[in-house]
Amino acid sequence: MGGNDLGADRRARIDAARLYLVCDCLPGDRGLGDFLPAAISGGVDVVQLRDKQLDDGFLVEAASVAADVCQQYGALFILNDRPDIAATVRADGVHVGQEDM
């Protein structure tokens, strides 16, 4: 699948998503590796990691875990505010607000 096909597939999956989860790196005081499989198995289609308190090293680590779990369980992974880290961890997309960047 080429780059344009992959982007179109991701847009189609976002359009079809029914449950979009926004969480920090410790949702409910649970690690992402434990929490996300259950959330995705419960119907989450898209996971957005939003944790404005983490330094870059911890954010890369958390985003890597989330990206791996999402890929393994078939959900899309979106990282908040950080296109540079999103590219590094192979996120499916990045959420950038009007006031960000």
Side-chain angles (χ1 to χ4, degrees):
M1 187 177 290
N4 288 339
D5 293 339
L6 184 57
D9 177 60
R10 288 176 177 158
R11 282 187 295 279
R13 289 177 63 195
I14 287 277
D15 288 344
R18 295 185 337 224
L19 191 54
Y20 190 113
L21 171 70
V22 179
C23 65
D24 63 14
C25 73
L26 287 173
D29 292 326
R30 294 174 62 187
L32 292 171
D34 293 328
F35 177 80
L36 291 180
I40 295 166
S41 295
V44 168
D45 302 300
V46 182
V47 173
Q48 179 179 329
L49 180 61
R50 181 181 190 276
D51 200 320
K52 295 181 181 250
Q53 306 304 316
L54 292 183
D55 69 29
D56 287 0
F58 286 119
L59 183 58
V60 168
E61 185 178 328
S64 293
V65 169
D68 289 346
V69 170
C70 286
Q71 182 178 16
Q72 180 180 356
Y73 286 86
L76 291 172
F77 173 59
I78 308 296
L79 183 62
N80 202 70
D81 293 342
R82 297 295 303 269
D84 55 333
I85 294 176
T88 298
V89 301
R90 304 164 330 277
D92 295 298
V94 61
H95 176 274
V96 181
Q98 291 180 4
E99 303 292 320
D100 297 321
M101 298 296 293

XYZ file of all heavy atoms in Angstrom:
745
model
N 0.852 -1.166 0.000
C 0.000 0.000 0.000
C 0.897 1.227 0.000
O 1.768 1.379 0.845
C -0.895 -0.033 1.242
C -1.941 1.048 1.252
S -3.058 0.953 2.699
C -4.002 -0.502 2.359
N 0.693 2.138 -0.938
C 1.490 3.348 -1.027
C 1.112 4.347 0.047
O 0.128 4.194 0.756
N 1.928 5.406 0.167
C 1.697 6.422 1.184
C 0.325 7.058 1.086
O -0.345 7.281 2.088
N -0.130 7.382 -0.146
C -1.453 7.995 -0.308
C -2.560 7.023 0.048
O -3.567 7.408 0.634
C -1.641 8.510 -1.732
C -0.807 9.761 -1.992
O -0.420 10.447 -1.065
N -0.536 10.025 -3.255
N -2.381 5.738 -0.321
C -3.380 4.725 0.022
C -3.471 4.540 1.539
O -4.554 4.392 2.086
C -3.043 3.381 -0.629
C -3.165 3.414 -2.146
O -3.867 4.302 -2.676
O -2.546 2.556 -2.800
N -2.316 4.568 2.199
C -2.294 4.409 3.645
C -3.003 5.574 4.324
O -3.790 5.380 5.244
C -0.851 4.299 4.144
C -0.644 4.024 5.625
C -1.352 2.752 6.044
C 0.840 3.924 5.918
N -2.754 6.800 3.856
C -3.428 7.975 4.411
C -4.923 7.907 4.196
O -5.708 8.230 5.095
N -5.341 7.474 3.017
C -6.773 7.355 2.727
C -7.410 6.285 3.610
O -8.522 6.466 4.107
C -6.987 7.031 1.252
N -6.688 5.184 3.839
C -7.198 4.130 4.712
C -7.361 4.648 6.139
O -8.377 4.394 6.786
C -6.245 2.923 4.698
C -6.691 1.828 5.653
O -7.813 1.303 5.478
O -5.925 1.510 6.585
N -6.381 5.394 6.622
C -6.474 5.940 7.976
C -7.627 6.924 8.096
O -8.355 6.915 9.085
C -5.161 6.619 8.357
C -4.044 5.636 8.609
C -2.748 6.334 8.874
N -1.710 5.369 9.181
C -0.426 5.618 9.046
N -0.008 6.804 8.637
N 0.467 4.710 9.344
N -7.812 7.773 7.088
C -8.946 8.715 7.119
C -10.273 7.966 7.118
O -11.203 8.334 7.846
C -8.860 9.686 5.939
C -7.833 10.794 6.160
C -7.886 11.841 5.076
N -7.517 11.335 3.766
C -6.265 11.166 3.331
N -5.251 11.475 4.114
N -6.019 10.714 2.126
N -10.377 6.923 6.334
C -11.607 6.124 6.299
C -11.858 5.462 7.653
O -13.006 5.402 8.118
C -11.525 5.077 5.191
N -10.805 4.983 8.290
C -10.963 4.346 9.602
C -11.370 5.365 10.664
O -12.189 5.055 11.534
C -9.673 3.632 9.994
C -9.445 2.375 9.153
C -8.149 1.694 9.482
N -8.132 1.231 10.863
C -7.016 0.853 11.495
N -5.852 0.882 10.872
N -7.071 0.443 12.737
N -10.837 6.577 10.598
C -11.259 7.636 11.528
C -12.730 7.955 11.311
O -13.505 8.089 12.254
C -10.404 8.913 11.347
C -9.003 8.703 11.904
C -11.068 10.124 11.988
C -8.848 8.906 13.377
N -13.129 8.094 10.039
C -14.532 8.397 9.722
C -15.479 7.318 10.241
O -16.594 7.615 10.650
C -14.716 8.568 8.214
C -14.111 9.853 7.682
O -13.813 10.769 8.484
O -13.927 9.940 6.451
N -15.033 6.064 10.209
C -15.883 4.946 10.619
C -15.827 4.675 12.122
O -16.635 3.902 12.636
C -15.476 3.680 9.852
N -14.893 5.297 12.822
C -14.713 5.027 14.250
C -15.959 5.400 15.047
O -16.602 6.407 14.790
C -13.505 5.806 14.776
N -16.267 4.564 16.020
C -17.414 4.822 16.886
C -17.006 5.212 18.288
O -17.744 5.883 19.000
C -18.302 3.579 16.941
C -18.932 3.245 15.609
C -19.900 2.086 15.680
N -19.654 1.215 16.809
C -19.655 -0.106 16.768
N -19.888 -0.718 15.652
N -19.431 -0.814 17.840
N -15.827 4.775 18.725
C -15.393 5.070 20.086
C -13.944 5.550 20.061
O -13.040 4.829 19.652
C -15.526 3.834 20.966
C -15.356 4.007 22.472
C -16.279 5.092 23.029
C -15.614 2.690 23.177
N -13.741 6.805 20.486
C -12.443 7.486 20.448
C -12.035 7.761 21.889
O -12.701 8.503 22.608
C -12.622 8.795 19.680
C -11.374 9.556 19.320
C -10.998 9.692 17.990
C -10.608 10.191 20.282
C -9.871 10.425 17.629
C -9.485 10.921 19.940
C -9.121 11.037 18.610
O -8.011 11.763 18.250
N -10.948 7.154 22.324
C -10.470 7.281 23.700
C -9.340 8.293 23.774
O -8.390 8.223 22.997
C -9.949 5.925 24.190
C -9.217 5.911 25.529
C -10.190 6.174 26.672
C -8.489 4.594 25.721
N -9.440 9.231 24.698
C -8.351 10.157 25.002
C -7.889 9.829 26.420
O -8.697 9.826 27.349
C -8.803 11.629 24.913
C -7.652 12.562 25.260
C -9.346 11.942 23.525
N -6.591 9.537 26.577
C -6.084 9.178 27.899
C -4.671 9.707 28.099
O -4.002 10.080 27.137
C -6.114 7.662 28.104
S -5.019 6.724 27.028
N -4.242 9.723 29.361
C -2.866 10.072 29.669
C -2.060 8.777 29.740
O -2.562 7.705 29.406
C -2.792 10.902 30.948
C -3.274 10.166 32.189
O -3.436 8.925 32.157
O -3.484 10.827 33.206
N -0.817 8.881 30.211
C 0.048 7.697 30.204
C -0.265 6.702 31.314
O 0.202 5.568 31.268
C 1.515 8.106 30.243
S 2.042 8.741 31.840
N -1.072 7.088 32.297
C -1.481 6.188 33.372
C -2.984 6.268 33.590
O -3.457 6.710 34.640
C -0.751 6.526 34.679
C 0.720 6.163 34.752
C 1.336 6.719 36.022
C 0.924 4.662 34.653
N -3.771 5.826 32.617
C -5.230 5.914 32.765
C -5.716 5.032 33.913
O -5.439 3.847 33.955
C -5.763 5.429 31.418
C -4.648 4.628 30.819
C -3.375 5.173 31.378
N -6.395 5.661 34.847
C -6.885 4.912 36.005
C -5.757 4.303 36.812
O -5.919 3.245 37.412
N -4.584 4.943 36.793
C -3.386 4.451 37.486
C -2.916 3.088 36.974
O -2.268 2.340 37.704
C -3.599 4.406 39.011
C -3.720 5.788 39.605
O -3.064 6.722 39.099
O -4.481 5.950 40.582
N -3.258 2.773 35.740
C -2.805 1.531 35.105
C -1.860 1.886 33.969
O -2.008 2.899 33.305
C -3.993 0.758 34.543
C -4.927 0.243 35.620
C -6.168 -0.382 35.058
N -5.873 -1.543 34.244
C -6.795 -2.186 33.519
N -8.037 -1.763 33.522
N -6.474 -3.231 32.798
N -0.889 1.034 33.721
C 0.015 1.231 32.601
C -0.719 1.036 31.282
O -1.707 0.292 31.192
N -0.244 1.707 30.241
C -0.876 1.599 28.919
C -0.863 0.166 28.396
O -1.796 -0.259 27.728
C -0.179 2.530 27.929
C -0.369 4.016 28.179
C 0.536 4.835 27.264
C -1.823 4.412 27.987
N 0.191 -0.578 28.702
C 0.283 -1.963 28.243
C -0.789 -2.867 28.815
O -1.148 -3.876 28.215
N -1.305 -2.507 29.984
C -2.402 -3.265 30.602
C -3.763 -2.698 30.226
O -4.714 -3.437 29.981
C -2.275 -3.248 32.138
C -1.062 -3.999 32.626
O -0.665 -4.989 31.978
O -0.499 -3.590 33.653
N -3.848 -1.372 30.212
C -5.130 -0.696 30.016
C -5.626 -0.763 28.567
O -6.805 -1.045 28.317
C -4.992 0.768 30.443
C -6.232 1.588 30.226
C -7.279 1.527 31.127
C -6.353 2.421 29.122
C -8.429 2.281 30.928
C -7.489 3.177 28.918
C -8.537 3.109 29.824
N -4.758 -0.471 27.609
C -5.211 -0.345 26.214
C -5.753 -1.635 25.604
O -6.753 -1.576 24.884
C -4.113 0.253 25.340
C -3.808 1.721 25.627
C -2.695 2.219 24.701
C -5.052 2.589 25.489
N -5.155 -2.809 25.837
C -5.765 -4.009 25.262
C -7.219 -4.199 25.698
O -8.074 -4.557 24.894
C -4.875 -5.146 25.766
C -3.546 -4.513 25.970
C -3.872 -3.121 26.480
N -7.493 -3.926 26.977
C -8.870 -4.066 27.472
C -9.779 -3.031 26.836
O -10.915 -3.335 26.450
C -8.890 -3.941 28.994
N -9.292 -1.790 26.719
C -10.111 -0.731 26.126
C -10.421 -1.033 24.659
O -11.564 -0.885 24.215
C -9.390 0.618 26.247
N -9.422 -1.464 23.930
C -9.619 -1.765 22.508
C -10.526 -2.984 22.351
O -11.429 -2.983 21.517
C -8.262 -1.954 21.803
C -7.479 -0.636 21.826
C -8.457 -2.443 20.369
C -6.004 -0.772 21.468
N -10.308 -3.998 23.174
C -11.186 -5.177 23.134
C -12.621 -4.810 23.482
O -13.570 -5.445 23.015
C -10.679 -6.255 24.099
O -9.428 -6.741 23.673
N -12.792 -3.758 24.280
C -14.118 -3.284 24.659
C -14.768 -2.377 23.627
O -15.870 -1.886 23.845
N -14.099 -2.114 22.510
C -14.729 -1.359 21.433
C -14.048 -0.073 21.010
O -14.521 0.600 20.088
N -12.953 0.318 21.656
C -12.252 1.542 21.260
C -11.624 1.351 19.882
O -10.926 0.370 19.645
C -11.184 1.929 22.309
C -10.252 3.007 21.785
C -11.854 2.376 23.595
N -11.888 2.297 18.990
C -11.350 2.255 17.624
C -10.112 3.128 17.461
O -9.260 2.864 16.615
C -12.398 2.761 16.619
C -13.677 1.970 16.654
O -13.633 0.757 16.403
O -14.735 2.569 16.951
N -10.058 4.221 18.226
C -8.977 5.194 18.122
C -8.527 5.569 19.533
O -9.356 5.863 20.392
C -9.425 6.476 17.378
C -8.273 7.454 17.244
C -10.017 6.150 16.016
N -7.212 5.573 19.740
C -6.625 5.969 21.022
C -5.805 7.229 20.796
O -4.944 7.270 19.919
C -5.711 4.862 21.588
C -4.967 5.358 22.823
C -6.501 3.601 21.880
N -6.089 8.253 21.599
C -5.280 9.468 21.577
C -4.566 9.586 22.911
O -5.199 9.624 23.958
C -6.133 10.707 21.342
C -5.320 11.994 21.336
C -6.172 13.222 21.079
O -7.179 13.157 20.376
N -5.774 14.342 21.650
N -3.230 9.637 22.859
C -2.438 9.838 24.062
C -2.225 11.332 24.249
O -1.670 12.004 23.381
C -1.091 9.117 23.943
C -0.149 9.254 25.136
C -0.777 8.674 26.403
C 1.177 8.572 24.841
N -2.700 11.828 25.376
C -2.605 13.258 25.690
C -2.062 13.374 27.103
O -2.784 13.146 28.076
C -3.981 13.915 25.587
C -3.975 15.408 25.866
C -5.394 15.964 25.755
N -5.409 17.404 25.774
C -5.404 18.158 26.871
N -5.377 17.588 28.062
N -5.427 19.467 26.768
N -0.786 13.720 27.199
C -0.168 13.865 28.515
C 0.825 15.009 28.442
O 1.974 14.840 28.073
C 0.516 12.568 28.944
C 0.732 12.508 30.448
O 1.082 13.554 31.035
O 0.556 11.427 31.028
N 0.372 16.193 28.787
C 1.178 17.408 28.655
C 2.222 17.553 29.755
O 3.035 18.466 29.712
C 0.273 18.631 28.613
C -0.620 18.641 27.373
C -1.487 19.867 27.319
C -2.360 19.827 26.083
N -1.982 20.817 25.095
N 2.225 16.659 30.735
C 3.153 16.757 31.862
C 4.444 15.968 31.662
O 5.409 16.180 32.385
C 2.464 16.268 33.146
C 1.161 16.954 33.455
C 1.285 18.472 33.536
O 2.208 18.987 34.132
N 0.371 19.177 32.892
N 4.480 15.063 30.708
C 5.646 14.194 30.540
C 6.787 14.900 29.824
O 6.562 15.662 28.885
C 5.279 12.952 29.725
C 4.347 11.946 30.370
C 4.151 10.754 29.436
C 4.879 11.474 31.697
N 8.008 14.593 30.242
C 9.146 15.089 29.472
C 9.282 14.218 28.224
O 8.627 13.174 28.094
C 10.423 15.132 30.316
C 10.964 13.759 30.687
O 10.762 12.775 29.949
O 11.629 13.665 31.736
N 10.113 14.646 27.291
C 10.202 13.977 25.995
C 10.545 12.490 26.096
O 9.968 11.669 25.396
C 11.226 14.673 25.105
C 10.744 16.012 24.581
O 9.608 16.424 24.908
O 11.513 16.650 23.827
N 11.481 12.138 26.966
C 11.883 10.740 27.090
C 10.746 9.839 27.527
O 10.521 8.769 26.948
N 10.020 10.263 28.552
C 8.890 9.468 29.029
C 7.748 9.455 28.012
O 7.062 8.448 27.854
C 8.388 9.981 30.378
C 9.293 9.634 31.524
C 9.877 10.631 32.278
C 9.564 8.317 31.847
C 10.721 10.318 33.331
C 10.401 7.986 32.900
C 10.990 8.998 33.641
N 7.562 10.565 27.309
C 6.511 10.606 26.293
C 6.819 9.654 25.151
O 5.931 8.941 24.679
C 6.314 12.033 25.770
C 5.191 12.212 24.754
C 3.845 11.765 25.329
C 5.119 13.661 24.295
N 8.060 9.610 24.709
C 8.448 8.664 23.656
C 8.201 7.236 24.123
O 7.663 6.411 23.379
C 9.928 8.864 23.244
C 10.415 7.702 22.383
C 10.113 10.180 22.510
N 8.566 6.941 25.363
C 8.364 5.594 25.902
C 6.876 5.230 25.958
O 6.466 4.159 25.500
C 8.983 5.505 27.291
C 8.943 4.126 27.895
C 9.618 4.079 29.254
O 10.578 4.837 29.486
O 9.164 3.273 30.087
N 6.052 6.124 26.490
C 4.612 5.859 26.586
C 3.976 5.759 25.206
O 3.151 4.874 24.954
C 3.934 6.956 27.404
N 4.361 6.647 24.308
C 3.803 6.633 22.953
C 4.208 5.370 22.204
O 3.421 4.825 21.421
C 4.240 7.879 22.192
N 5.416 4.890 22.434
C 5.859 3.643 21.792
C 5.019 2.464 22.248
O 4.607 1.625 21.434
C 7.333 3.374 22.099
O 8.157 4.332 21.503
N 4.754 2.403 23.549
C 3.895 1.334 24.086
C 2.505 1.430 23.460
O 1.950 0.436 22.977
C 3.810 1.405 25.623
C 2.722 0.474 26.167
C 5.163 1.070 26.248
N 1.934 2.632 23.466
C 0.590 2.816 22.918
C 0.536 2.459 21.435
O -0.398 1.782 20.986
C 0.126 4.253 23.127
N 1.531 2.889 20.671
C 1.560 2.587 19.231
C 1.630 1.083 18.993
O 0.918 0.544 18.139
C 2.738 3.292 18.563
N 2.474 0.397 19.761
C 2.605 -1.053 19.599
C 1.315 -1.777 19.944
O 0.874 -2.668 19.212
C 3.747 -1.586 20.475
C 5.122 -1.176 19.971
O 5.250 -0.714 18.816
O 6.092 -1.301 20.761
N 0.690 -1.397 21.062
C -0.563 -2.044 21.471
C -1.650 -1.773 20.430
O -2.385 -2.690 20.039
C -1.005 -1.581 22.875
C -2.415 -2.066 23.191
C -0.020 -2.064 23.928
N -1.752 -0.530 19.984
C -2.788 -0.197 18.997
C -2.594 -0.977 17.703
O -3.557 -1.488 17.123
C -2.804 1.308 18.729
S -3.518 2.257 20.095
N -1.349 -1.081 17.265
C -1.089 -1.853 16.046
C -1.459 -3.323 16.255
O -2.100 -3.931 15.407
C 0.374 -1.729 15.644
C 0.690 -2.471 14.359
C 2.135 -2.319 13.921
O 2.991 -1.907 14.694
N 2.397 -2.633 12.683
N -1.066 -3.878 17.392
C -1.341 -5.286 17.678
C -2.840 -5.580 17.744
O -3.296 -6.618 17.286
C -0.678 -5.682 18.993
C -0.896 -7.125 19.383
C -0.220 -7.478 20.696
O 0.487 -6.674 21.298
N -0.453 -8.689 21.157
N -3.624 -4.651 18.295
C -5.048 -4.888 18.503
C -5.941 -4.231 17.454
O -7.159 -4.305 17.551
C -5.452 -4.437 19.913
C -4.966 -5.386 20.977
C -3.690 -5.262 21.510
C -5.767 -6.422 21.437
C -3.224 -6.142 22.479
C -5.315 -7.306 22.407
C -4.040 -7.164 22.920
O -3.589 -8.034 23.873
N -5.347 -3.555 16.480
C -6.118 -3.043 15.353
C -6.776 -1.689 15.547
O -7.711 -1.341 14.825
N -6.302 -0.900 16.510
C -6.842 0.451 16.703
C -5.877 1.466 16.098
O -4.686 1.195 15.938
C -7.033 0.741 18.190
N -6.395 2.633 15.783
C -5.539 3.730 15.342
C -4.942 4.426 16.557
O -5.585 4.515 17.603
C -6.340 4.744 14.531
C -6.831 4.281 13.168
C -7.766 5.318 12.569
C -5.666 4.011 12.232
N -3.719 4.943 16.410
C -3.063 5.658 17.501
C -2.757 7.086 17.073
O -2.117 7.326 16.054
C -1.770 4.958 17.919
C -0.983 5.754 18.926
C -1.543 6.093 20.150
C 0.294 6.180 18.642
C -0.829 6.851 21.074
C 1.017 6.931 19.557
C 0.452 7.268 20.780
N -3.228 8.031 17.877
C -3.021 9.460 17.646
C -2.251 10.017 18.844
O -2.609 9.749 19.992
C -4.373 10.206 17.528
C -5.299 9.550 16.504
C -4.155 11.691 17.251
C -4.806 9.561 15.089
N -1.227 10.805 18.580
C -0.475 11.450 19.653
C -0.829 12.925 19.690
O -0.934 13.568 18.651
C 1.031 11.268 19.447
C 1.924 11.833 20.546
C 1.656 11.142 21.887
C 3.385 11.688 20.171
N -0.992 13.444 20.871
C -1.363 14.845 21.048
C -0.134 15.749 20.962
O 0.884 15.477 21.593
C -2.017 15.012 22.426
C -2.884 16.233 22.504
O -3.940 16.281 21.889
N -2.447 17.229 23.248
N -0.231 16.810 20.185
C 0.692 17.954 20.168
C 2.089 17.741 19.608
O 2.790 18.724 19.409
C 0.885 18.542 21.574
C -0.360 19.189 22.121
O -1.268 19.509 21.341
O -0.422 19.369 23.350
N 2.545 16.543 19.394
C 3.951 16.336 19.081
C 4.164 15.570 17.769
O 4.419 14.366 17.769
C 4.634 15.590 20.234
C 4.659 16.333 21.556
C 5.498 17.616 21.485
N 6.866 17.363 21.055
C 7.878 17.113 21.884
N 7.681 17.104 23.188
N 9.091 16.902 21.408
N 4.099 16.256 16.622
C 4.319 15.578 15.342
C 5.686 14.914 15.253
O 5.831 13.863 14.621
C 4.187 16.681 14.297
C 3.679 17.878 14.988
C 3.782 17.666 16.463
N 6.707 15.507 15.888
C 8.047 14.933 15.852
C 8.077 13.561 16.519
O 8.616 12.599 15.973
C 9.062 15.881 16.490
C 8.695 16.299 17.920
O 7.491 16.305 18.278
O 9.625 16.646 18.682
N 7.463 13.448 17.679
C 7.431 12.170 18.384
C 6.451 11.214 17.708
O 6.709 10.012 17.623
C 7.105 12.372 19.872
C 8.259 13.134 20.547
C 6.860 11.039 20.578
C 8.021 13.489 21.994
N 5.352 11.723 17.182
C 4.386 10.876 16.471
C 5.064 10.145 15.318
O 4.842 8.949 15.106
C 3.215 11.708 15.966
N 5.906 10.844 14.584
C 6.625 10.214 13.464
C 7.609 9.171 13.974
O 7.738 8.087 13.386
C 7.350 11.277 12.640
N 8.275 9.465 15.074
C 9.265 8.554 15.643
C 8.640 7.234 16.078
O 9.233 6.177 15.881
C 9.964 9.209 16.852
O 10.643 10.384 16.404
C 10.956 8.276 17.515
N 7.454 7.285 16.659
C 6.831 6.070 17.208
C 5.844 5.417 16.248
O 5.163 4.478 16.616
C 6.148 6.344 18.572
C 7.147 6.865 19.577
C 4.944 7.255 18.422
N 5.766 5.921 15.024
C 4.881 5.349 13.996
C 3.403 5.517 14.334
O 2.587 4.629 14.101
C 5.185 3.872 13.746
C 6.587 3.547 13.370
C 6.944 2.069 13.512
N 6.238 1.313 14.535
C 6.565 1.272 15.834
N 7.566 1.960 16.293
N 5.873 0.544 16.672
N 3.055 6.663 14.914
C 1.647 6.946 15.200
C 0.886 7.063 13.878
O 1.464 7.407 12.846
C 1.520 8.236 16.004
N -0.399 6.794 13.930
C -1.240 6.921 12.741
C -1.590 8.369 12.450
O -2.011 8.696 11.350
C -2.522 6.092 12.914
C -2.208 4.624 12.987
O -1.663 4.070 12.010
O -2.483 4.010 14.037
N -1.430 9.234 13.450
C -1.744 10.634 13.268
C -1.346 11.435 14.475
O -0.861 10.891 15.473
N -1.546 12.732 14.362
C -1.220 13.627 15.462
C -2.341 14.652 15.580
O -2.898 15.091 14.581
C 0.155 14.321 15.241
C 0.173 15.159 14.012
C 0.579 15.116 16.444
N -2.704 14.976 16.827
C -3.711 15.998 17.082
C -2.975 17.263 17.480
O -2.227 17.264 18.469
C -4.652 15.563 18.209
C -5.639 16.609 18.572
N -5.361 17.610 19.474
C -6.899 16.826 18.143
C -6.424 18.397 19.572
N -7.354 17.930 18.793
N -3.156 18.322 16.729
C -2.524 19.600 17.033
C -3.624 20.632 17.088
O -4.304 20.888 16.101
C -1.473 19.981 15.969
C -0.811 21.310 16.314
C -0.409 18.882 15.846
N -3.797 21.227 18.263
C -4.823 22.251 18.444
C -4.395 23.578 17.857
O -3.226 23.786 17.530
N -5.313 24.500 17.767
C -5.045 25.803 17.184
C -3.997 26.576 17.983
O -3.284 27.407 17.425
C -6.334 26.611 17.090
C -7.287 26.043 16.081
C -8.574 26.843 15.991
O -8.715 27.868 16.641
N -9.479 26.387 15.168
N -3.906 26.342 19.268
C -2.952 27.053 20.125
C -1.615 26.339 20.259
O -0.703 26.858 20.889
C -3.554 27.251 21.522
C -4.878 27.987 21.530
C -4.715 29.450 21.114
O -3.737 30.075 21.529
O -5.585 29.929 20.365
N -1.504 25.135 19.691
C -0.298 24.335 19.850
C 0.683 24.553 18.712
O 0.325 24.989 17.636
C -0.660 22.835 19.918
C -1.521 22.518 21.121
O -1.271 23.097 22.196
O -2.457 21.724 20.989
N 1.918 24.220 19.001
C 3.027 24.307 18.039
C 3.187 25.735 17.594
O 3.455 26.133 16.580
C 2.849 23.350 16.869
C 2.824 21.878 17.249
S 4.326 21.237 17.949
C 5.448 21.315 16.603
